[in-house]
Structure formats: structure tokens, C-alpha cells
Amino acid sequence: QVQLVESGGGLVQAGGSLRLSCTASGSDFSIASMRWYRQAPGNLRELVASITAGGATTYADSMKGRFTISRDNAKNTLYLQMSSLKPEDTALYYCNADIWVSRPRRLTSTWGQGTQVTVSS
């Protein structure tokens, strides 16, 4: 079974920066696309950014220019560099990945447990 573990969340002042990480662990797997989602209290979970195995990226409009998604395939790790943070960026940030597993070979959608980002005004 493959697990995703996020880290890097915390409390930051408005205008500050944070870098989130998400590392996959397990055996006999390969990762296709990866994504960051976020969910604020009372809100639906929303897509923040996505990245393919080849490195093609997409962003939600409100994050363009402030957030950068990247990945290190050798380390099975996804990153989200967040800058110019605003109080409205406060949310629980989740990592999601499309992962090929074996025996039987199939594509699974795996989620991390989330990491809290709080931006103070």
C-alpha cells in the first residue's frame, strides 16, 4: 500500500511564504499526476495546482503567480511553494496522486492526511 505524507504547514503572516512537501512511500509503485487541494472550514475542497509526471503544470486562477508546484520523481516527492500568502489561503492542504500499483496492476487515487496552513493578517 502506498502512503502520502504531507509536511511544511504552519502559521505565517500575510505576505509570507511556506513550502509544502508530500512524499510517497511504499513498494512497487509509480506515480502519474499529482495535485494539491485545499479545504477551508465551511468550504468545498478545491484544486490548487496539478503536475503531470512529465512536469506540465496547471493552477487555479487565484494561485497563479503566487504558488509554484513542482516534483522530484527520484524522491517521489511533490512540492508547493507558496508566496505572498493571504489570510484567505488559510486551509487544510491535501496532496493527491494517481499511483500505479502492482498485483494486480491498477491505477489508484491516493490522498494524504493534510497539513494545516494558517495565514494571519
Side-chain angles (χ1 to χ4, degrees):
Q1 185 176 356
V2 180
Q3 292 185 325
L4 298 176
V5 178
E6 300 102 331
S7 61
L11 175 63
V12 63
Q13 289 189 333
S17 299
L18 280 176
R19 189 176 84 152
L20 306 183
S21 300
C22 169
T23 299
S25 62
S27 61
D28 200 13
F29 68 94
S30 62
I31 305 175
S33 293
M34 304 184 80
R35 306 166 194 87
W36 287 102
Y37 285 82
R38 70 183 187 184
Q39 187 168 20
N43 289 359
L44 297 175
R45 190 172 297 187
E46 63 174 340
L47 179 64
V48 173
S50 65
I51 185 168
T52 67
T57 60
T58 59
Y59 296 91
D61 287 343
S62 61
M63 287 66 155
K64 287 180 181 177
R66 299 190 301 123
F67 292 5
T68 301
I69 189 171
S70 61
R71 63 192 285 173
D72 185 331
N73 292 332
K75 295 181 179 179
N76 291 319
T77 299
L78 176 70
Y79 303 100
L80 185 68
Q81 179 68 47
M82 305 184 292
S83 59
S84 302
L85 283 163
K86 307 173 183 179
E88 51 263 43
D89 293 318
T90 295
L92 192 58
Y93 283 71
Y94 294 92
C95 171
N96 169 254
D98 298 332
I99 300 177
W100 286 101
V101 299
S102 300
R103 295 182 294 276
R105 180 168 172 79
R106 63 193 186 279
L107 186 64
T108 64
S109 180
T110 301
W111 291 84
Q113 82 290 348
T115 185
Q116 179 67 39
V117 172
T118 303
V119 183
S120 63
S121 57

